[in-house]
Amino acid sequence: EKMNSTMSEEPDALSVVNQLRDLAADPLNRRAIVQDQGCLPGLILFLDHPNPPVVHSALLALRYLAECRANREKMKSELGMMLSLQNVIQKTTTPGETKLLASEVYDILQSSHMSDMDNMNEMNYRRRKAQFFLGSTNKRAKTVVLHIDGLDDSSRRNLCEEALLKIKGVISFTFQMAVQRCVVRIRSDLKAEALATAIASTKVMKAQQVVKSESGEEMLVPFQDTPVEVEQNTDLPEYLPEDESPTKEQDKAVSRVGSHPEGAASWLSTAANFLSRSFYW
C-alpha cells in the first residue's frame, strides 16, 4: 500500500490540484475552500511542486479564490503564501505565463488591506518589480473579454478551460457563467484570435470579443473565420480524454465535480486527506 501511493503520487497531485481548481472556479465554493483546514496549506505546498502544470493549476485555483474579497486577508496571512508566490516569480525555471499569474495573485493579496490610492501605487510598484523579474522578453499581459455562445454549464466550462490551457501565452481566465463570458489574461504577443480558434475547436462553442466603443458601450465583435496557428503549450501533460482514462483505481478516484449533490463538501475532505497524506508523513 505504502509503495503504491508513492508511485502514483505524481498524477495524483495533478488530479487533486485540478479538482481544487475546478471547485474554486465556482464562486459558491470559494469561501468554503479557504475556511477548510487542509486546502489552503496544500495549495501553498503545490506552489513548490517540481511538476510545472501542478504549480500553474494551483495558481489558477488561488486566483479564483482571491476573487472573493472576503478570502483575501486570510489567504495573505496564511503561512508561506506570500513567500511561495515570490519564489515562483523569482525562480529562473518558472515559465513566463506562470510568473505573470503568480505576480497577479501576489498583487491582489498584497493590496487587500489598502485604500484605493495606496493600492494603485503599490500595484504599479509591484508591476514594475515583476516586470524586472520577468525580463524584457515578457511584455505586459493584456486582457481579452470573450462572449462564448454555448457556455452554459460546468462541463462546457471545463471544455473551454482545457482548450485555453493548451495555448502558449494564456496566463489566467475567469468565467462569468451568468453572462456567458470569459475574461482571459494573455501575454501581449499572443493574438486574441488564437483564443477564438481554440474555443471553436471544442465544436460546441463559439467566441466573440467584447469591446467598448468610444462612447463606452459594449459591442460584440466576431473573429475572422480563418483559423490561426496556435502554439501549443509543450510543458503541460497530455490529458487522456475522459472516457479513456484508466479505471483501475475507480474506487479511490473521485467523480467529476458537480456530478453528485454533495460534490464540493465531500471533495474538500478527499482533497484534504490527500494533502495531509502527501505532505505531512
Side-chain angles (χ1 to χ4, degrees):
E1 172 58 33
K2 185 81 185 111
M3 181 168 158
N4 202 1
S5 71
T6 34
M7 278 173 62
S8 61
E9 204 161 297
E10 196 63 16
D12 246 8
L14 191 61
S15 62
V16 165
V17 76
N18 283 348
Q19 285 278 16
L20 276 173
R21 182 201 67 204
D22 289 351
L23 278 176
D26 183 343
L28 297 176
N29 296 332
R30 287 173 190 162
R31 293 288 290 273
I33 292 173
V34 168
Q35 296 310 313
D36 183 86
Q37 292 306 299
C39 286
L40 217 48
L43 283 170
I44 293 172
L45 288 164
F46 278 140
L47 294 179
D48 250 2
H49 203 278
N51 189 8
V54 170
V55 176
H56 198 84
S57 196
L59 282 165
L60 280 170
L62 292 169
R63 174 73 184 76
Y64 280 132
L65 297 175
E67 263 177 57
C68 168
R69 272 175 194 284
N71 281 341
R72 290 176 191 170
E73 278 300 316
K74 177 155 176 20
M75 288 176 71
K76 186 183 173 204
S77 57
E78 189 70 40
L79 187 69
M81 172 72 80
M82 301 308 269
L83 207 62
S84 297
L85 288 170
Q86 274 178 319
N87 287 343
V88 174
I89 296 167
Q90 292 171 23
K91 212 186 267 173
T92 47
T93 53
T94 307
E97 291 86 334
T98 307
K99 283 190 182 194
L100 280 165
L101 177 53
S103 49
E104 203 170 278
V105 175
Y106 188 97
D107 280 353
I108 293 170
L109 298 182
Q110 185 59 34
S111 54
S112 61
H113 61 289
M114 298 181 185
S115 72
D116 286 346
M117 198 55 221
D118 289 348
N119 215 336
M120 286 308 297
N121 296 340
E122 177 70 18
M123 288 286 244
N124 288 336
Y125 167 69
R126 296 269 156 222
R127 201 159 280 138
R128 281 202 305 277
K129 202 166 145 188
Q131 271 175 289
F132 172 73
F133 285 131
L134 298 171
S136 52
T137 50
N138 262 315
K139 296 186 287 296
R140 286 278 293 282
K142 60 184 177 185
T143 302
V144 178
V145 182
L146 301 175
H147 181 276
I148 301 175
D149 293 315
L151 178 65
D152 41 28
D153 62 24
S154 59
S155 67
R156 292 277 174 94
R157 187 190 67 209
N158 288 342
L159 269 181
C160 194
E161 197 166 60
E162 275 163 32
L164 291 173
L165 273 174
K166 287 188 184 126
I167 306 174
K168 200 170 174 50
V170 167
I171 299 161
S172 68
F173 34 76
T174 305
F175 290 99
Q176 300 165 344
M177 298 296 287
V179 286
Q180 293 192 310
R181 281 192 184 179
C182 182
V183 180
V184 193
R185 297 272 294 157
I186 58 177
R187 299 245 298 260
S188 51
D189 48 2
L190 178 67
K191 289 192 167 54
E193 283 76 15
L195 305 177
T197 304
I199 286 163
S201 75
T202 63
K203 304 279 195 288
V204 288
M205 288 176 282
K206 195 171 187 290
Q208 292 174 288
Q209 191 170 355
V210 181
V211 293
K212 275 200 164 50
S213 67
E214 307 246 318
S215 58
E217 301 241 352
E218 289 193 342
M219 304 183 306
L220 290 184
V221 181
F223 288 99
Q224 276 72 37
D225 272 344
T226 49
V228 252
E229 267 307 298
V230 173
E231 194 183 345
Q232 296 282 309
N233 233 333
T234 42
D235 55 2
L236 287 176
E238 286 300 314
Y239 289 101
L240 290 170
E242 286 294 63
D243 52 3
E244 285 171 39
S245 45
T247 45
K248 226 176 32 240
E249 295 203 49
Q250 203 55 55
D251 55 327
K252 274 162 61 179
V254 180
S255 57
R256 295 226 32 105
V257 179
S259 54
H260 46 92
E262 73 285 10
S266 68
W267 218 93
L268 281 176
S269 59
T270 310
N273 282 341
F274 168 83
L275 295 169
S276 56
R277 267 212 331 275
S278 336
F279 299 116
Y280 308 115
W281 38 270

